[in-house]
Amino acid sequence: MAAIRGPIPGARTRARVAAHAPAAARGRVAHPFGSINWWVLGGIIIVGLSALLPVIQSSMVTSEGFSMQRSQEQVANLNGQISILESEIGQMTSIGRIEQRAQEIGLQPPLADPTFIHVNVPGPAPAKIPASYLPAPATTQEHPQSWWQSLFDWLPLPH
Amino acid sequence: MPVDRTPGTRRIWLPAILLGIFALVAIARLVQIQVVEHGHYSTVADKELIDKTTVYARRGAIVDRNGNVLAISVDTWDIYVNASVWQDASKAGPASEALGKLLSMDPAAIRTSVTSATQKDPDIVQVLVKRDVPYAIGTAIIHEDLDGVVPVADHERDHPEGDLAASLLGLTGIDNSGLAGIEYQYNAILQGTPGKSIFERDTVGDPIPFGQSVAVPPKPGQDLVLTIDRNIQQMAEQRLHDAIVEHRAKGGQLIVADPNTGQILALASEPGLKYSTLDFNDPATTRLLQNSAVSNLYEPGSEFKLVTASAAIDAGAVTPNTTYYDPGYVDIGGTIIHNWEDEALGEQTMLGVLQNSLNSGAVFMAQQLGEEKFYNYVKAFGFGQPTGIDLPGEAVGHYRTPSDPGFSPVDFATQSFGQSITVTPLQMIQAVSAIVNGGKLIAPHIVKATIDANGVEHSVEPKVAGNPISPETSATMRMMMHYDLESPGYRSEGDPKYYLAGGKSSTANVPVSNGGYNDLTQIASFVEFAPLNDPKVLVLVTLDENQDLETGSIAAGPVAAKFIDDVLRYMNVAPDRADYPPYDQG
C-alpha cells in the first residue's frame, strides 16, 4: 500500500478559508443540509403532494366503484333469491302439496255426508290479552285554562 | 457586433418546406376532425364509450282472493354464447365442457348448436343455448367466468297451483308480455315500466366507476288480487270434469259468482288451457287461448224463461198465479211451436210454466208483456251487449228485434223461451244475478284489487249497470225459482240437500246451419242460487253436447246441487236443514 507523502490536497486551502471567516461562523458546526432553501423544499413537497392527490383520489374512486358493483350484485342476488323464496312459499302452500301432506299423515276425504250440529248456547267469550301486556292507554291531557278564562270565572259576571 | 448569416442551402430549405407542408396537413386534418366534423366524431365516440341497457321490471304476481299465489315471476338466466369467441377451439372446448356440466347438457351438442347457428347466420353475435335457467345455476355460471358464455337476466312465470285456473290466468310469452287471459287483459298493470341504464364503459364493456351515468330504475308491476277462491276453483274444475266424463259431453263451463257483487268466485271451462300439456305446435292450442265461458255463444233455452217471467211480473203483465190454458203448443201465424216432448197440461199458472218449463207459457207471458217492453227488458238485462268482464275476447251475442230486417213474430215467440237468441254463459250469470239480488245488474269481474309497489291495495268496486227489475219482483222470482226446485210432491234433481235454493234447468238443442235444430246435439245446463233468503252464490253448470242426451235437470242439476251444498259449507254458511224434507211436507 502506498503511503501518502506530503500534505493532503486541499487541506491548506480549507485552513486558509477558516482563518478568514468571521468569528461567529468559525464557532458554528458545519450542517450537512446547511445550504438547503427551505422555501424551495416546501414548494417541491406541496407540488409533489398535489400531484399525488389525484392518484390517491382515483384509487379511492376505483375501489369505491368496485365496492358499489359488488353491492349491486348482492342486491340483484338477494332480489333473485326473494323471488325464488316467494315461489317456493307458493309451492309449499299449494293445494296439491297440502293434499299430498294430508295423505302422508293418513288423512282421507270424508266418505259420508257431514253432520250439522246446532248448539243453542252462546259461544265462549272472546279471549282477551291481559292488560299488563297491552300498551299503556294514552293519557288525555285537558287543555289548560288560559289566565283570562280563569279571570272570567273568578269575576262575578253573569253567565 | 455584426452576425454573419450563412445563406440557406437546399439541404436546409427542402426539409424545412417538407416539414412545413406536413405540419399544415396535420393542422388541416385536426381542424377537420375537431371543428368541421366535431358532431360526427362526438357521436361515434359516444357510441364507443356510452352503453345503454334496458332493465326489465319484475312482473306482478297474481293471487287469489285469500292471497294464495296463482302466478309469480321468478328470476332466471338465459344463457348465450358469443359465437366469435367459440371459434377458437382452445376456448370453446373447456368452456362447453364446464357449461354442459352446469346445464346438464351434452358439451358436443352445445358446440354443434353454436356452430350451426353461425353457419345459418354468419352475422350472428350471440347464440342462445338455454332459456330460463334456474337462478342458482346461472349465478354459478357467472362465477365460473367461462370464455364466451354470456348469461342474461330474465324472468320465468311460475304457477305454484299447476294447471288450476290456467284458462283464466292465461299465459305470457318469452318477452314476458301477457298473451291470453288475465295476463293479457292486465298486461299494462302487471308488466310495470322497464328501467334504463346509460353509462360510460371501459374497453371490456364494464361500467366505469363514477363515470357519467344515468339510471332510471324499473317500476315493478302491480300485483293482482282475483275474486277467485282457489279452493272453490279446484272444486269447480273437478266437478265439471267429472260431469263431462259421466255424460260424455264435448265440454262445459261451471261458473260460481257472488250475485250481490258480481265477483266471480270460480270459472271453470273445458276444454281449456293446461300449462302441463301446452304445445304451441298443435293448432288446437290456439283455440284454447280463448275462454269458452266468455267467448262461446249458445242458445240458452229454458233458463231464459226466467228473464221473460221477471219482465212480465215486473211490468205487471202477469203474476205468479195468473193462469192460461196450455194445449201443448202455440200457433204463431201458422207456425206451430210445441212444448218440450209435446206435453199438454191444460190450465197452468205462471209458476207452473217455470216448473214444467212450458214453451207455450213463456210465449203467453211475452205476449201479455208486448214486443216493445219485452225487448226493453231483454236489453236492460244486458243481452246483446258485453258484460264488461275483465277478460279478453268477450262475445256479445245477438237477437233479432222488430227493427231488424227479416224479423217475424216467430222470433219474438221463440226468444221468450231462449231460442233465436245467443248469449254467453257470463251474460246468463249477470242476468240471473240481477233476478235474485234485488234487481241490480252488476258487471261480473275477476279482479278484486291491485297492490302497488308500496304494498297499498286498491279495491275494484262493483259497477251497477242498471236496475232492470224492482226488489219486489226479485223477491217473487226467488220464490218461484225455489218452487221450481221443490214444492209439495215435487223435488228437482237440482235441489241441494242442506240449503234452500232456487234454480232453473235448460235443455237447448243446438241450431244447425240450415236454420233448424238437431235433436241429437244439445246443451244441458242448470242455474241455481242459495241460500234462498240471502243469496251468497250463484252457480251455472253447462254441459256442451252431452252424448247421453240427458236433460239439463238430470245431467247438470245434481252437479249444481252438490256444488251448492259443498261450497256454502266451505264458506261457513249455516245450513237451512239437516236433510231433504219429505215430499208430502214440501
Side-chain angles (χ1 to χ4, degrees):
Chain A
M1 184 180 161
I4 298 169
R5 292 180 191 162
I8 298 167
R12 266 173 65 185
T13 316
R14 273 202 293 275
R16 226 177 12 246
V17 169
H20 287 92
R26 261 184 275 141
R28 202 186 288 159
V29 180
H31 197 278
F33 304 110
S35 60
I36 287 175
N37 187 330
W38 292 103
W39 287 106
V40 172
L41 184 64
I44 289 168
I45 290 169
I46 288 169
V47 169
L49 284 178
S50 305
L52 266 179
L53 205 62
V55 176
I56 294 165
Q57 200 181 20
S58 169
S59 159
M60 282 171 64
V61 163
T62 308
S63 109
E64 284 294 316
F66 280 117
S67 150
M68 271 182 68
Q69 274 185 4
R70 272 197 300 275
S71 299
Q72 282 171 348
E73 277 172 21
Q74 275 182 350
V75 168
N77 263 330
L78 290 172
N79 280 333
Q81 283 169 17
I82 287 169
S83 78
I84 290 165
L85 286 172
E86 284 175 346
S87 172
E88 280 178 5
I89 289 169
Q91 304 276 1
M92 298 301 277
T93 56
S94 67
I95 297 176
R97 164 78 185 154
I98 292 169
E99 278 179 352
Q100 185 193 338
R101 183 70 190 131
Q103 283 171 1
E104 283 169 9
I105 60 173
L107 296 178
Q108 285 181 342
L111 298 173
D113 284 335
T115 303
F116 294 101
I117 301 169
H118 294 271
V119 181
N120 291 323
V121 177
K128 285 184 177 174
I129 298 170
S132 56
Y133 292 102
L134 295 174
T139 50
T140 50
Q141 285 188 338
E142 289 182 4
H143 292 292
Q145 208 171 24
S146 61
W147 64 270
W148 55 269
Q149 280 175 325
S150 308
L151 183 66
F152 275 120
D153 289 345
W154 180 73
L155 288 172
L157 294 171
H159 289 283
Chain B
M1 197 172 71
V3 177
D4 288 338
R5 281 181 178 266
T6 311
T9 63
R10 194 188 288 175
R11 284 186 180 178
I12 294 170
W13 285 113
L14 199 60
I17 289 166
L18 287 174
L19 282 171
I21 291 168
F22 178 75
L24 278 174
V25 169
I27 288 167
R29 179 68 178 148
L30 282 173
V31 169
Q32 184 196 7
I33 290 171
Q34 295 191 5
V35 180
V36 180
E37 295 182 4
H38 169 81
H40 167 70
Y41 284 102
S42 174
T43 312
V44 171
D46 280 352
K47 273 186 186 170
E48 283 291 316
L49 275 175
I50 306 290
D51 203 352
K52 295 176 192 172
T53 54
T54 302
V55 186
Y56 290 104
R58 192 169 171 223
R59 195 173 176 83
I62 303 176
V63 300
D64 83 341
R65 64 187 299 118
N66 300 315
N68 299 300
V69 179
L70 299 175
I72 192 168
S73 281
V74 180
D75 288 12
T76 57
W77 297 95
D78 294 341
I79 306 299
Y80 289 84
V81 164
N82 190 321
S84 62
V85 175
W86 273 30
Q87 279 176 353
D88 182 351
S90 66
K91 287 181 178 172
S96 61
E97 289 292 333
L99 189 62
K101 201 176 284 179
L102 286 164
L103 294 179
S104 304
M105 288 172 75
D106 179 22
I110 298 174
R111 286 195 299 271
T112 309
S113 71
V114 174
T115 312
S116 59
T118 319
Q119 283 166 353
K120 272 184 197 166
D121 179 8
D123 295 331
I124 197 164
V125 179
Q126 290 185 338
V127 180
L128 177 68
V129 173
K130 196 168 184 182
R131 193 179 289 285
D132 288 331
V133 171
Y135 193 79
I137 294 174
T139 313
I141 291 170
I142 291 170
H143 286 150
E144 289 283 326
D145 197 17
L146 304 172
D147 283 328
V149 178
V150 185
V152 175
D154 197 3
H155 300 288
E156 185 187 25
R157 208 62 170 155
D158 189 30
H159 302 97
E161 297 290 350
D163 288 336
L164 187 76
S167 293
L168 194 65
L169 297 173
L171 45 85
T172 55
I174 54 172
D175 60 348
N176 290 314
S177 290
L179 296 179
I182 291 285
E183 298 275 16
Y184 174 81
Q185 185 76 15
Y186 284 91
N187 190 51
I189 290 175
L190 286 166
Q191 199 167 33
T193 312
K196 198 182 281 181
S197 178
I198 304 170
F199 54 88
E200 278 186 290
R201 64 181 180 189
D202 60 17
T203 49
V204 288
D206 290 333
I208 297 172
F210 290 95
Q212 196 181 3
S213 69
V214 179
V216 180
K219 199 175 163 191
Q222 295 186 38
D223 295 339
L224 289 185
V225 182
L226 302 189
T227 57
I228 298 293
D229 182 310
R230 68 169 181 176
N231 294 308
I232 300 177
Q233 178 71 26
Q234 195 209 28
M235 212 188 295
E237 288 183 9
Q238 189 60 54
R239 300 288 167 82
L240 176 66
H241 178 75
D242 292 347
I244 286 172
V245 171
E246 184 184 346
H247 298 285
R248 288 177 284 133
K250 204 173 161 185
Q253 295 84 34
L254 200 161
I255 306 173
V256 190
D258 178 345
N260 301 302
T261 61
Q263 292 184 358
I264 303 293
L265 303 175
L267 195 154
S269 54
E270 203 170 308
L273 192 69
K274 288 191 191 310
Y275 301 124
S276 55
T277 54
L278 197 62
D279 178 14
F280 280 108
N281 295 320
D282 181 3
T285 302
T286 315
R287 285 198 296 277
L288 297 179
L289 297 180
Q290 292 181 328
N291 194 315
S292 60
V294 180
S295 57
N296 267 21
L297 290 170
Y298 72 108
E299 291 194 354
S302 295
E303 281 165 4
F304 202 79
K305 287 170 186 156
L306 295 172
V307 175
T308 306
S310 301
I313 291 169
D314 193 66
V318 297
T319 70
N321 295 325
T322 300
T323 56
Y324 85 110
Y325 184 79
D326 170 36
Y329 65 91
V330 58
D331 185 348
I332 307 292
T335 303
I336 305 297
I337 297 171
H338 294 275
N339 284 336
W340 176 257
E341 292 185 333
D342 293 335
E343 59 183 1
L345 300 181
E347 188 172 285
Q348 283 292 311
T349 62
M350 297 302 106
L351 178 61
V353 170
L354 286 189
Q355 284 178 326
N356 299 298
S357 204
L358 300 172
N359 292 345
S360 62
V363 176
F364 171 80
M365 283 193 278
Q367 286 172 337
Q368 296 300 304
L369 184 62
E371 273 183 10
E372 187 183 345
K373 283 184 181 175
F374 175 76
Y375 287 110
N376 285 343
Y377 273 104
V378 170
K379 190 179 176 188
F381 272 111
F383 294 105
Q385 310 146 60
T387 62
I389 180 91
D390 39 358
L391 283 172
E394 184 183 12
V396 292
H398 63 274
Y399 53 92
R400 208 177 281 165
T401 63
S403 59
D404 291 325
F407 174 82
S408 83
V410 177
D411 289 324
F412 171 56
T414 53
Q415 283 162 359
S416 70
F417 53 87
Q419 288 187 349
S420 307
I421 179 170
T422 55
V423 304
T424 64
L426 271 172
Q427 281 177 330
M428 278 311 295
I429 280 281
Q430 185 187 33
V432 180
S433 288
I435 289 170
V436 304
N437 73 6
K440 299 186 294 288
L441 190 79
I442 302 171
H445 57 281
I446 297 284
V447 171
K448 188 167 168 260
T450 58
I451 301 174
D452 65 22
N454 300 320
V456 180
E457 190 168 317
H458 306 275
S459 297
V460 175
E461 299 301 328
K463 290 177 195 161
V464 179
N467 295 79
I469 57 171
S470 67
E472 292 74 24
T473 305
S474 173
T476 304
M477 284 304 299
R478 282 201 300 269
M479 282 312 295
M480 288 178 78
M481 288 173 74
H482 173 61
Y483 277 96
D484 185 49
L485 291 186
E486 60 178 66
S487 56
Y490 170 75
R491 183 190 304 137
S492 160
E493 286 83 353
D495 194 20
K497 190 173 181 181
Y498 303 111
Y499 296 91
L500 296 178
K504 181 78 188 83
S505 68
S506 171
T507 312
N509 289 123
V510 177
V512 288
S513 53
N514 64 8
Y517 289 90
N518 182 352
D519 287 342
L520 297 176
T521 54
Q522 62 175 31
I523 294 175
S525 64
F526 207 96
V527 64
E528 184 164 7
F529 73 91
L532 179 63
N533 296 319
D534 180 19
K536 292 211 173 345
V537 290
L538 175 69
V539 176
L540 173 68
V541 180
T542 309
L543 297 174
D544 301 335
E545 300 184 25
N546 54 318
Q547 299 297 303
D548 63 358
L549 296 179
E550 292 285 13
T551 61
S553 185
I554 292 170
V559 181
K562 182 79 170 69
F563 197 88
I564 291 270
D565 274 334
D566 291 344
V567 82
L568 288 180
R569 193 168 77 231
Y570 165 74
M571 292 167 71
N572 282 328
V573 177
D576 294 315
R577 58 194 179 198
D579 204 343
Y580 290 119
Y583 277 128
D584 57 349
Q585 288 181 6

